[in-house]
Amino acid sequence: MSAYFAFARSSFHSQLAYRNEVWANIFGKLVQVFARVAIWQAAYAGIGGIVVDGVSLQQMVTYALLGGAVMGATRPERIIGEIGRSLKTGDIAVWLLKPLSYPLYLFANECGSFGYRLMTQVIPTIAFTALFYGMLPPATLFDGLMFIAFWALSFTLLFLMSALFGLIAFWLMTSFSLDWILGALLQLFSGLLIPFWFFPEPLATIARHLPFAWVVYYPNAVYLGRLSAADVWLHLGLGLAWAALFLAGVLWLWRCASTRIIVQGG
Amino acid sequence: MLIHHLRVLPLLVRMHVRSQMEYRGAFWLDRLAQILSYGSVFATIGILLARFDTLGGWTWPELALLFSFQLLAYSLGAAMSFVQLRDLEELVRLGTFDTLLVKPFSPWAYLVFSGLNIGYAGHVILAVPLMGWAVQSVDFAWSVWSASFLIAALLSATLLTAALITMIGATALIWVRSNHLFSIFFGFWELTRYPLNIFPGGIQTILITAVPLALTSSVPVGALLGKPIPILGDWAGPVALLAGPIWVLISIAYWRYATGKYQGAGG
């Protein structure tokens, strides 16, 4: 286990090495969050209301801050890109020789990157924007605690989805399109920009049942107290079931993919 | 010298296009994925407008025109610059940029044309029909003047995009690393799908001056449709038309400055 911890630590430190990039990333994240808030302020101003479908502007601003900063700390393109690169360079074959699990290595690597982004992007962005816009606290203490559980689930699910898409590259021999396809699904069905309560039916019902909903929509809805306690537990269970399904998918695909590796270089 | 350059450029482009089209299945799958991705962004804006009717005073067809204009200008400009200049950092790090300097050819022209990216076909396939629909759907009386303005503004936005990307890439010649600046570029670029007037004053100012990406989207489209443009007001139209050529001149000067500062980082 210490090897995986070392991978996570190494991933964390390697990204801290370039300070200009740290500042550029904080700046980029702040711009993105300010923009999301501006979009909602303009949308609410357009219809002249401060409450739309039972959601206040302040709640929507909080949703945008959470979606933009907190949930934006995981980067699927990094995970898919890492698998694609290993496949292209042939490095993937080396993993079969090591007494280590490649999927676990990817997870440890992403944990390190997540820690880096948490410290250098999420916390500064949340602190700054919360001061600026007045972010709402969790609806109740229970919702706050459950939000942390949903956040952990969101990170795990997003990692597993990305790894699953990345492993499909073994058959397509390109990871480029997989990265874009997952990005498209997340853009529309995770609730990243627009929560499902503003979706038209039956699209909203479909979106609520897809696994992408657990990446942004459900954690944020729990934070804002939009789900009853029973629904929170139910959706946590459903989210864990999705994670178990994706985990089985990743392990199965990795086993199939391992048998497909053909080393062409010397 | 110039004739020699012009004769070689089509050969460079042809060689690269052939190499890109070698795996046709993968090429078109990648383009389909990009169409899906931008399509989902467009659908998200559509869902927002279905519930809220307008955004910053812009209707759904007007936002569709803005989205298609932004995507088309970016894809045409980035085809001539993005991947090529993004990879410059690696050429500097490994020292292979030195080999371009000893060629009897402009390093910039060699980089750009030997890597001309036809991968932006997906963007164009999505943006052109969307623009066609939006042009017919907006509540606007088209004339020869306004149609000419749209085309000229698109050309200016294309040049501006390529100029900005060239400048970011050229920074690698001084700093060795410059790709993190692309994350700022794309952070701002995503905002330009929306009208400029919805953003706070600080972001509006940056989008017109330091990272003038608003001049590749909401400023020209807003000027065309007669929308109020923050900061620029009635100057929005002329500024949008002049921005491309002016930033090209600035980027040429910057490229020369950066090449002069280049010392080589590779072994």
Side-chain angles (χ1 to χ4, degrees):
Chain A
M1 215 56 206
S2 62
Y4 298 108
F5 184 70
F7 286 132
R9 205 173 48 183
S10 153
S11 169
F12 179 89
H13 284 293
S14 66
Q15 296 197 49
L16 267 181
Y18 298 98
R19 287 183 196 173
N20 278 352
E21 291 184 22
V22 173
W23 291 114
N25 287 333
I26 291 176
F27 184 67
K29 185 59 81 182
L30 272 174
V31 167
Q32 213 176 51
V33 172
F34 271 105
R36 288 213 177 132
V37 172
I39 290 166
W40 286 109
Q41 286 175 330
Y44 271 67
I47 55 171
I50 51 164
V51 177
V52 178
D53 294 344
V55 184
S56 69
L57 176 59
Q58 197 56 46
Q59 282 180 313
M60 247 350 280
V61 167
T62 303
Y63 186 99
L65 295 179
L66 284 174
V70 178
M71 299 305 160
T74 313
R75 301 265 298 274
E77 71 276 12
R78 228 182 89 91
I79 302 163
I80 297 175
E82 169 83 26
I83 298 173
R85 250 188 318 279
S86 302
L87 192 60
K88 206 171 178 180
T89 59
D91 285 353
I92 200 97
V94 179
W95 283 97
L96 295 176
L97 304 173
K98 292 179 182 173
L100 294 165
S101 155
Y102 182 63
L104 257 183
Y105 154 75
L106 289 173
F107 186 67
N109 204 20
E110 188 52 29
C111 283
S113 298
F114 181 82
Y116 158 80
R117 286 192 287 270
L118 190 69
M119 285 183 64
T120 62
Q121 292 173 29
V122 175
I123 295 173
T125 310
I126 284 290
F128 189 78
T129 47
L131 279 173
F132 203 83
Y133 289 112
M135 186 179 169
L136 290 174
T140 63
L141 181 63
F142 170 75
D143 289 323
L145 292 172
M146 291 309 283
F147 167 75
I148 293 170
F150 270 82
W151 186 11
L153 177 62
S154 160
F155 169 74
T156 311
L157 252 178
L158 195 49
F159 166 78
L160 291 168
M161 282 179 196
S162 310
L164 193 81
F165 269 71
L167 288 171
I168 296 172
F170 277 80
W171 286 266
L172 292 180
M173 299 308 283
T174 168
S175 63
F176 183 91
S177 51
L178 297 163
D179 174 13
W180 283 77
I181 291 169
L182 181 60
L185 292 168
L186 287 169
Q187 167 77 30
L188 196 57
F189 295 119
S190 71
L192 183 64
L193 186 65
I194 304 176
F196 303 150
W197 52 74
F198 291 139
F199 270 44
E201 289 295 346
L203 191 63
T205 308
I206 295 168
R208 279 192 196 97
H209 290 87
L210 294 174
F212 312 104
W214 275 263
V215 174
V216 180
Y217 174 74
Y218 282 122
N220 287 6
V222 167
Y223 184 95
L224 293 172
R226 301 271 307 177
L227 299 181
S228 66
D231 273 350
V232 169
W233 287 112
L234 173 69
H235 284 93
L236 185 66
L238 289 171
L240 287 169
W242 274 118
L245 196 67
F246 278 112
L247 177 64
V250 167
L251 295 176
W252 178 70
L253 268 190
W254 171 240
R255 200 175 312 136
C256 297
S258 305
T259 61
R260 287 182 59 89
I261 296 173
I262 299 165
V263 180
Q264 298 184 13
Chain B
M1 188 66 175
L2 184 66
I3 292 171
H4 166 69
H5 270 63
L6 292 176
R7 208 177 294 154
V8 174
L9 293 180
L11 291 174
L12 291 175
V13 172
R14 204 184 313 153
M15 275 194 323
H16 187 66
V17 169
R18 275 191 186 178
S19 72
Q20 281 189 293
M21 291 303 286
E22 187 155 10
Y23 299 100
R24 282 181 195 216
F27 177 84
W28 287 112
L29 181 66
D30 291 348
R31 304 294 76 77
L32 180 68
Q34 286 179 312
I35 292 171
L36 281 177
S37 180
Y38 285 109
S40 82
V41 173
F42 183 61
T44 309
I45 300 172
I47 290 168
L48 186 71
L49 266 285
R51 181 66 193 81
F52 290 89
D53 299 328
T54 61
L55 191 68
W58 291 53
T59 62
W60 172 229
E62 289 168 345
L63 283 171
L65 183 62
L66 173 62
F67 180 83
S68 57
F69 187 96
Q70 185 242 21
L71 191 59
L72 199 54
Y74 165 73
S75 55
L76 296 176
M80 290 196 304
S81 54
F82 176 58
V83 173
Q84 299 94 313
L85 273 298
R86 184 197 61 191
D87 293 349
L88 181 59
E89 179 183 290
E90 195 64 0
L91 297 183
V92 171
R93 193 178 70 78
L94 297 174
T96 37
F97 184 69
D98 296 4
T99 59
L100 295 189
L101 291 175
V102 295
K103 282 184 199 290
F105 206 78
S106 154
W108 181 86
Y110 185 86
L111 261 181
V112 164
F113 290 97
S114 67
L116 192 79
N117 195 351
I118 56 167
Y120 284 95
H123 297 61
V124 177
I125 290 169
L126 178 66
V128 169
L130 187 60
M131 186 179 275
W133 174 80
V135 159
Q136 291 173 32
S137 305
V138 284
D139 186 15
F140 182 72
W142 290 95
S143 63
V144 175
W145 184 89
S146 55
S148 308
F149 177 84
L150 181 73
I151 294 166
L154 189 63
L155 188 65
S156 176
T158 301
L159 292 175
L160 176 51
T161 305
L164 291 177
I165 293 175
T166 295
M167 289 173 71
I168 293 174
T171 305
L173 298 173
I174 306 169
W175 287 358
V176 180
R177 285 174 74 97
S178 69
N179 281 0
H180 56 285
L181 298 178
F182 282 118
S183 63
I184 295 178
F185 175 90
F186 284 110
F188 279 111
W189 180 70
E190 281 186 24
L191 310 191
T192 59
R193 291 174 188 142
Y194 304 95
L196 185 63
N197 59 311
I198 70 167
F199 298 117
I203 292 182
Q204 289 176 357
T205 309
I206 294 172
L207 280 171
I208 288 176
T209 55
V211 191
L213 287 167
L215 302 175
T216 68
S217 62
S218 56
V219 169
V221 178
L224 176 77
L225 298 174
K227 300 279 177 194
I229 308 288
I231 302 169
L232 294 173
D234 292 342
W235 287 94
V239 168
L241 292 180
L242 288 172
I246 289 173
W247 276 89
V248 164
L249 293 176
I250 295 171
S251 73
I252 290 171
Y254 185 73
W255 175 267
R256 287 189 178 155
Y257 168 77
T259 312
K261 285 273 177 188
Y262 174 70
Q263 291 185 320

